């Protein structure tokens, strides 16, 4: 199964932070979603970012690579998404998933080790993103 992961980063004095959220039923996560039939992967990333966070990405997101998860063999495609405006430190977004859920968004420093609130799949994804960023420096 193929999924897209729209990645939103910001650079702070202490390092790089990634946009993450607390799912009320499933712990700490990154935004991700299923690619719809006949949908371009980049467009799927932009759509998922909007659906799960309410944020609108600039067109032409940058493909970061893909990862086949060791946990469940899903194929995740990562896209670096740029936004038009600065974001708050935290906020709530009401997502229509599963009948409507409130996701609490925050910035997560990529310098720290993910704790047990992160599912194994997202810990693997964070490692992939960190390795990608390290390769660009």
């Amino acid at each position: 199964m193929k999924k897209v992961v729209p990645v939103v980063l910001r650079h702070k004095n202490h390092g790089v932070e990634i946009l993450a959220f607390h799912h009320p039923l499933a712990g700490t996560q990154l935004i991700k979603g299923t690619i719809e039939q006949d949908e371009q992967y980049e467009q799927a990333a932009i759509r998922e970012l909007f659906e799960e966070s309410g944020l609108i990405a600039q067109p032409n997101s940058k493909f970061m690579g893909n990862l086949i998860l060791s946990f469940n063999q899903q194929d995740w495609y990562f896209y670096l998404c740029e936004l038009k405006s600065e974001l708050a430190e935290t906020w709530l977004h009401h997502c229509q998933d599963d009948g409507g859920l409130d996701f609490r968004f925050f910035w997560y420093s990529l310098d720290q080790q993910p704790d047990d609130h992160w599912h194994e799949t997202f810990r693997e994804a964070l490692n992939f993103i960190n390795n990608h960023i390290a390769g660009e420096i």
Side-chain angles (χ1 to χ4, degrees):
M1 180 176 296
K2 295 181 180 181
K3 303 277 186 180
V4 290
V5 180
V7 176
V8 178
L9 301 174
R10 73 176 184 181
H11 297 272
K12 287 296 206 182
N13 294 339
H14 58 275
V16 179
E17 295 177 331
I18 189 167
L19 185 64
F21 69 96
H22 293 291
H23 188 293
L25 306 174
T28 306
Q29 301 186 6
L30 300 175
I31 298 168
K32 73 154 178 51
T34 302
I35 301 162
E36 295 177 357
Q37 187 174 349
D38 299 327
E39 186 176 32
Q40 293 180 348
Y41 290 21
E42 177 188 340
Q43 292 306 314
I46 291 170
R47 175 186 51 77
E48 285 294 337
L49 180 66
F50 179 73
E51 288 177 3
E52 293 195 7
S53 71
L55 299 174
I56 299 172
Q58 303 262 20
N60 302 318
S61 297
K62 180 183 175 192
F63 178 61
M64 299 173 73
N66 71 299
L67 169 69
I68 297 176
L69 296 169
S70 58
F71 177 76
N72 58 10
Q73 301 305 300
Q74 283 184 349
D75 197 359
W76 286 14
Y77 291 78
F78 295 78
Y79 283 86
L80 183 61
C81 295
E82 301 289 333
L83 305 176
K84 293 181 180 180
S85 59
E86 292 290 315
L87 298 177
E89 289 300 310
T90 63
W91 72 91
L92 280 178
H93 177 73
H94 185 74
C95 181
Q96 297 305 318
D97 285 2
D98 299 322
L101 297 169
D102 288 331
F103 293 166
R104 184 168 55 87
F105 282 86
F106 65 98
W107 293 99
Y108 182 80
S109 174
L110 288 174
D111 292 337
Q112 59 189 321
Q113 288 295 321
D115 61 21
D116 291 340
H117 292 105
W118 289 90
H119 187 275
E120 182 179 339
T121 56
F122 293 104
R123 289 196 296 264
E124 196 173 344
L126 287 168
N127 187 51
F128 174 85
I129 292 164
N130 262 324
N131 289 339
H132 177 82
I133 292 169
E136 291 193 341
I137 296 175

